[in-house]
Amino acid sequence: MRISELGRRSGVSVPTIKFYLREGLLPSGIPTGRNQADYGEQHLRRLRFIRTLTGVGGLDLASVRGILAAIDDDQVSLAEAYQVLDRAIDLDCATSVGSVAVASAREDVEALVESMGWGRHASANGQEVLAEVLASLRLLGCEADASFFAPFARAAEEVARAELDLAGKADADNRKGPAIVRGVLFGVALAALRRMAREHQLACR
């Protein structure tokens, strides 16, 4: 298809498609003449992928670039691609509360991780983020300890299990793209479901 049809089918403007081509976010088409090229279904899928990550997923183009690089690199495993995704969605934030408060919270988080049986498999960055959240709650006067997050941890484990069951052989078949886009969209869906459940509970109470 020509670039005009690619734009029409993808819902992405031609100037934006040309920008993606210049930036290397979209692979070049097959040249058919001077300043002309043909594009295929793989270009359409890539554009829809980018649009999903920047639209519903709320990611910036720099983050999308890193995710696409991880997906395109055959040497990057699915687990490593998920790490790239976690960094992109800001799960590796820097500590912004007092170090003493975070150190105390960190011990509680480690106890929670052990109680879940996650042990050494639990992301160190994820633990640090949770410790910062817990420390921030305490500094704001909210009574909270790590056990408060136990129901969230159990729910997260169920969600992660279902997500990886869908991923199936993504790593072996080098089909990281669908797994990664689900990782983004499931996060958005989970936030939407929690909001709906909270609204329901407020109405019931």
Side-chain angles (χ1 to χ4, degrees):
M1 71 190 87
R2 307 294 283 272
I3 194 169
S4 56
E5 183 182 354
L6 180 62
R8 181 181 58 79
R9 291 183 61 186
S10 66
V12 178
S13 69
V14 170
T16 299
I17 293 174
K18 290 181 178 179
F19 171 76
Y20 290 163
L21 287 166
R22 288 195 305 271
E23 292 295 310
L25 294 168
L26 188 68
S28 301
I30 300 172
T32 58
R34 186 179 180 185
N35 297 325
Q36 290 186 340
D38 272 343
Y39 301 90
E41 292 298 319
Q42 72 274 20
H43 295 93
L44 182 60
R45 285 193 299 271
R46 176 62 70 101
L47 281 174
R48 287 172 174 166
F49 187 86
I50 295 171
R51 192 176 187 192
T52 297
L53 293 184
T54 57
V56 179
L59 299 178
D60 57 39
L61 279 180
S63 298
V64 172
R65 184 190 305 280
I67 291 170
L68 290 174
I71 290 171
D72 292 340
D73 189 343
D74 293 346
Q75 302 304 311
V76 174
S77 69
L78 180 59
E80 291 168 332
Y82 275 126
Q83 290 173 1
V84 172
L85 173 61
D86 287 344
R87 288 193 294 272
I89 59 178
D90 215 16
L91 290 185
D92 293 347
C93 63
T95 299
S96 59
V97 297
S99 58
V100 174
V102 173
S104 174
R106 193 179 292 126
E107 294 178 2
D108 286 348
V109 171
E110 290 172 356
L112 172 65
V113 168
E114 288 301 319
S115 72
M116 291 297 299
W118 293 344
R120 63 183 179 83
H121 300 293
S123 159
N125 289 323
Q127 292 184 65
E128 195 65 20
V129 171
L130 186 55
E132 182 171 346
V133 168
L134 184 55
S136 297
L137 286 170
R138 290 171 175 171
L139 289 173
L140 290 169
C142 302
E143 293 295 329
D145 58 27
S147 64
F148 176 81
F149 290 102
F152 294 89
R154 289 191 290 270
E157 187 164 46
E158 287 300 311
V159 170
R161 182 179 294 114
E163 181 180 346
L164 292 178
D165 284 346
L166 286 173
K169 297 181 179 179
D171 197 11
D173 297 341
N174 194 28
R175 285 186 46 77
K176 293 171 287 189
I180 294 302
V181 79
R182 280 195 297 267
V184 174
L185 294 181
F186 286 178
V188 176
L190 189 59
L193 288 167
R194 185 172 69 93
R195 183 170 66 183
M196 289 188 287
R198 182 178 60 213
E199 291 167 348
H200 170 71
Q201 288 297 319
L202 283 169
C204 290
R205 297 182 185 199

